């Protein structure tokens, strides 16, 4: 151990050491005694203060992530230092200056993200004195009202799928039968989007003889103790598969009785009022469900001759029964059309021409992708319109239809995906696919299909107009009240996209 040579130097050293030791005990850093629960997108203030209170404006204050020990925000001698700050916090942190003179070291973080979940440490250094306190932040998000789909007959029952999006942390899916009993999912899967929010899907098979009454899917966030619920009420046995009688092989699945329809009602309401926000009505003025249901043909079908045909007929008839009797009238907006697109006089069809027209390059016009928007824009409610693909539909044809945000980028190589503000499907490079990342193959290319938009639920669904079978439904999106417009893209001269009852 080093000691000063002179007595005066030794005395000075001992006094300095004593002062430093006292200094280390002069203050204590205090954090909250409970974790902070914050919803995704909100701002949060992480509380931290010195005890006893003192002016901290000249101290070295650093907020760090506990596990990584990396800097979230650094303040020293009245100045914010950003050279060491983690990239994901750039522009999102602020030391609350108003409280510094009284010993408060609060940090504000704006626009909470799922990745902000975890423990933070508030550290204070004053010469040789040091103190720290921890703050636990629990980020959470309650997702969309579940979307129920009746997808097929399976194992003698009806396969029901429950989908919901926008949750954090990963939620759980619970089912309740008409007697109120909880049932586990036959299968369950989840995925996360670019923001770190979870989409979840649960499946149940409603078995024969147990179908009448209300079946509910509840998606629950245990961190917030909040949940979203959608119920399906089956008040008839029409959809019930039955086992064949004598003369048929054991366990054979026969077609249900025909031609009557079951009565389905879909009350969409949060369970026990636990979920926040208003939940819109899903039932239109006609009393028919406003949500597009998934009733696909049975995956496996045995039984007497004609049984499968009868079952398919019932499912198709039911799908068409749910489609709108008064579809929306959609026309094309010439001011948005790419200069190489040719619109019909009635604004109901579009094809690609052989030459570029001399049109003004306005902000509204697509200049690279051969796209055009619909004149009509939708901000609320449910809307459907029919599109027919004339001329070349497969092979080397390039075309797509769907919906787009009114704010979609119309200049340059527009991103044809939900991230770019477009929800659609189409055909190119020899495949019929969804405009997702990555694209999903959709099999046979239909000539006619419905585009259905539910602004309230953030749903975009495509239905084969000839068979009545759902082609594809995008995961629920957040439209945030923005206007959504029909969208069309055609690159092939031999292909024409035509709205219902259009002129060629």
């Amino acid at each position: 151990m080093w000691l000063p040579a002179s007595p005066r130097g030794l005395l000075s050293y001992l006094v300095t050491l004593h002062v430093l030791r006292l200094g280390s005990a002069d203050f204590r850093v205090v954090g909250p005694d409970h974790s902070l629960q914050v919803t995704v997108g909100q701002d949060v203030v992480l509380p931290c203060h010195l005890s006893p209170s003192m002016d901290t404006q000249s101290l070295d204050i650093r907020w760090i992530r506990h596990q990584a020990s990396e800097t979230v925000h650094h303040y020293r001698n009245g100045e914010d230092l950003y050279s060491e700050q983690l990239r994901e916090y750039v522009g999102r942190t602020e030391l609350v200056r108003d409280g510094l003179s009284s010993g408060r070291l609060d940090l504000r973080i704006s626009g909470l993200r799922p990745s902000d979940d975890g423990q933070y440490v508030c550290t204070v250094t004053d010469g040789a004195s040091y103190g720290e306190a921890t703050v636990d932040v629990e980020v959470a998000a309650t997702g969309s009202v579940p979307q129920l789909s009746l997808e097929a007959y399976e194992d003698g029952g009806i396969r029901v799928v429950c989908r919901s999006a926008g949750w954090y942390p990963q939620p759980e899916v619970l089912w309740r039968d008409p007697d109120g009993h909880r049932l586990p999912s036959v299968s369950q899967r989840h995925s996360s989007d670019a923001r770190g929010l979870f989409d979840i899907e649960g499946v149940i098979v409603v078995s024969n003889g147990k179908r009448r009454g209300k079946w509910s899917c509840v998606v629950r966030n245990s961190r917030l103790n909040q949940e979203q619920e959608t119920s399906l009420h089956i008040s008839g046995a029409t959809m019930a598969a039955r086992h064949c009688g004598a003369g048929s092989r054991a366990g054979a699945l026969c077609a249900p009785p025909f031609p009557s329809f079951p009565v389905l009602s879909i009350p969409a309401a949060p369970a026990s009022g636990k979920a926040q926000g208003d939940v819109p009505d899903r039932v239109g003025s006609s009393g028919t469900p406003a949500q597009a249901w998934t009733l696909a043909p049975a995956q496996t079908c045995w039984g007497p001759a004609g049984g499968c045909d009868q079952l398919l007929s019932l499912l198709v008839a039911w799908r068409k029964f749910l489609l709108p009797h008064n579809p929306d009238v959609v026309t094309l907006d010439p001011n948005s059309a790419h200069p190489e697109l040719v619109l019909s006089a009635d604004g109901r069809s579009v094809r690609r021409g052989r030459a570029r027209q001399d049109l003004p390059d306005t902000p509204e016009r697509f200049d690279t992708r051969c796209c055009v928007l619909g004149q009509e824009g939708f901000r609320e409610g449910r809307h459907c319109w029919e599109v027919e693909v004339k001329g070349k539909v497969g092979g080397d044809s390039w075309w797509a239809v769907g919906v787009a945000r009114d704010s979609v980028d119309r200049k340059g190589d527009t991103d044809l995906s939900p991230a770019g503000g477009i929800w659609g499907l189409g055909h190119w490079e020899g495949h019929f696919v969804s405009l997702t990342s990555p694209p999903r193959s959709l099999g046979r290319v239909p000539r006619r299909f419905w585009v259905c938009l539910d602004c309230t639920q953030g749903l975009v669904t495509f239905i084969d107009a000839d068979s009545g079978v759902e082609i594809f439904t995008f995961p629920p999106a957040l439209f945030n009240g923005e206007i959504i417009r029909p969208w069309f893209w055609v690159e092939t001269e031999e292909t024409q996209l035509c709205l219902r009852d259009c002129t060629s």
Side-chain angles (χ1 to χ4, degrees):
M1 177 179 178
W2 175 86
L3 291 175
S6 67
R8 184 172 181 177
L10 177 61
L11 177 62
S12 176
Y13 171 76
L14 292 176
V15 169
T16 302
L17 181 62
H18 179 66
V19 169
L20 289 175
R21 285 177 175 173
L22 287 176
S24 66
D26 276 350
F27 64 80
R28 184 167 56 93
V29 183
V30 181
D33 58 1
H34 60 279
S35 61
L36 307 180
Q37 284 193 350
V38 192
T39 302
V40 170
Q42 291 184 341
D43 297 350
V44 63
V45 174
L46 310 187
C48 180
H49 68 275
L50 297 187
S51 179
S53 298
M54 58 182 289
D55 191 341
T56 63
Q57 296 181 79
S58 62
L59 302 184
D60 189 304
I61 303 166
R62 188 188 298 264
W63 282 87
I64 62 176
R65 289 302 298 262
H66 177 66
Q67 292 182 339
S69 296
E70 294 181 297
T71 301
V72 174
H73 193 95
H74 189 196
Y75 169 94
R76 184 173 61 204
N77 293 328
E79 184 180 1
D80 294 304
L81 306 175
Y82 296 107
S83 60
E84 303 173 12
Q85 187 178 38
L86 286 168
R87 180 180 299 177
E88 56 263 37
Y89 291 97
V90 172
R92 299 176 53 224
T93 62
E94 175 191 7
L95 200 67
V96 183
R97 301 292 186 95
D98 294 346
L100 290 176
S101 60
S102 59
R104 300 205 62 84
L105 316 169
D106 300 347
L107 179 72
R108 176 180 287 108
I109 304 177
S110 61
L112 263 288
R113 306 168 180 174
S115 59
D116 296 329
D117 187 77
Q119 192 174 75
Y120 295 76
V121 183
C122 171
T123 71
V124 181
T125 305
D126 181 16
S129 301
Y130 175 84
E132 67 177 42
T134 60
V135 180
D136 290 309
V137 176
E138 295 182 349
V139 180
T142 297
S144 62
V145 174
Q147 175 195 8
L148 286 178
S149 299
L150 308 180
E151 295 205 340
Y153 280 96
E154 181 177 306
D155 297 330
I158 300 175
R159 177 184 174 89
V160 184
V161 181
C162 177
R163 298 182 179 91
S164 185
W167 296 84
Y168 191 85
Q170 181 181 329
E172 57 180 332
V173 176
L174 307 173
W175 295 89
R176 282 198 289 264
D177 67 12
D179 298 323
H181 299 145
R182 287 190 174 185
L183 302 173
S185 294
V186 173
S187 64
Q188 186 170 304
R189 64 181 182 181
H190 68 274
S191 60
S192 59
D193 61 19
R195 298 170 297 170
L197 300 178
F198 285 97
D199 300 346
I200 194 160
E201 175 181 296
V203 178
I204 193 173
V205 177
V206 181
S207 61
N208 185 39
K210 297 182 179 180
R211 294 191 179 131
R212 296 191 183 193
K214 185 176 78 170
W215 293 81
S216 299
C217 171
V218 180
V219 184
R220 187 170 187 272
N221 185 327
S222 57
R223 176 172 288 181
L224 292 176
N225 195 28
Q226 290 184 350
E227 55 192 36
Q228 298 274 32
E229 176 179 352
T230 294
S231 298
L232 165 67
H233 188 83
I234 303 180
S235 60
T238 316
M239 295 295 291
R242 57 185 172 84
H243 289 290
C244 301
S248 299
R249 64 186 182 84
L253 179 63
C254 295
F258 194 85
S260 61
F261 289 106
V263 179
L264 299 179
S265 61
I266 312 124
S272 305
K274 295 180 181 178
Q276 297 176 341
D278 296 329
V279 179
D281 185 5
R282 288 194 185 184
V283 180
S285 59
S286 63
T288 58
Q291 180 179 358
W293 286 86
T294 305
L295 287 172
Q299 303 300 314
T300 305
C301 184
W302 305 289
C308 288
D309 292 338
Q310 192 178 23
L311 174 58
L312 285 173
S313 297
L314 174 61
L315 293 175
V316 170
W318 176 243
R319 165 63 76 195
K320 292 183 177 180
F321 176 75
L322 290 179
L323 287 172
H325 298 290
N326 297 305
D328 289 85
V329 176
V330 172
T331 55
L332 304 175
D333 176 14
N335 294 322
S336 68
H338 184 278
E340 292 183 24
L341 294 182
V342 178
L343 278 56
S344 62
D346 62 357
R348 305 280 288 167
S349 70
V350 58
R351 61 179 176 84
R352 183 171 183 176
R354 296 182 179 275
R356 189 181 184 93
Q357 303 172 75
D358 185 15
L359 298 173
D361 184 18
T362 60
E364 296 80 18
R365 191 178 304 282
F366 289 92
D367 67 352
T368 302
R369 303 273 194 189
C370 289
C371 300
V372 61
L373 297 176
Q375 287 269 23
E376 295 70 28
F378 307 106
R379 195 190 299 271
E380 58 185 18
R382 182 171 182 265
H383 308 272
C384 292
W385 54 93
E386 186 179 336
V387 178
E388 181 178 1
V389 184
K390 293 186 176 182
K392 182 176 289 188
V393 66
D396 59 354
S397 64
W398 288 55
W399 57 268
V401 298
V403 301
R405 295 185 187 273
D406 188 52
S407 61
V408 65
D409 188 1
R410 308 181 194 189
K411 304 301 180 183
D413 290 329
T414 307
D415 182 3
L416 306 184
S417 73
I422 292 174
W423 292 260
L425 51 75
H427 185 278
W428 64 87
E429 295 185 346
H431 300 282
F432 181 49
V433 297
S434 62
L435 271 60
T436 52
S437 182
R440 175 178 167 182
S441 179
L442 302 177
R444 185 185 68 84
V445 188
R447 284 276 182 184
R448 298 170 52 248
F449 45 85
W450 289 92
V451 180
C452 292
L453 166 68
D454 189 331
C455 297
T456 306
Q457 299 300 320
L459 297 173
V460 181
T461 298
F462 298 86
I463 301 169
D464 189 317
D466 293 318
S467 68
V469 173
E470 178 182 313
I471 301 169
F472 185 76
T473 295
F474 280 85
L478 295 176
F479 293 147
N480 297 321
E482 183 175 348
I483 293 175
I484 306 298
R485 298 171 66 179
W487 170 83
F488 308 83
W489 174 53
V490 56
E491 294 280 349
T492 310
E493 294 180 11
E494 297 84 357
T495 301
Q496 181 182 20
L497 301 180
C498 187
L499 289 154
R500 186 176 184 178
D501 300 326
C502 71
T503 58
S504 298

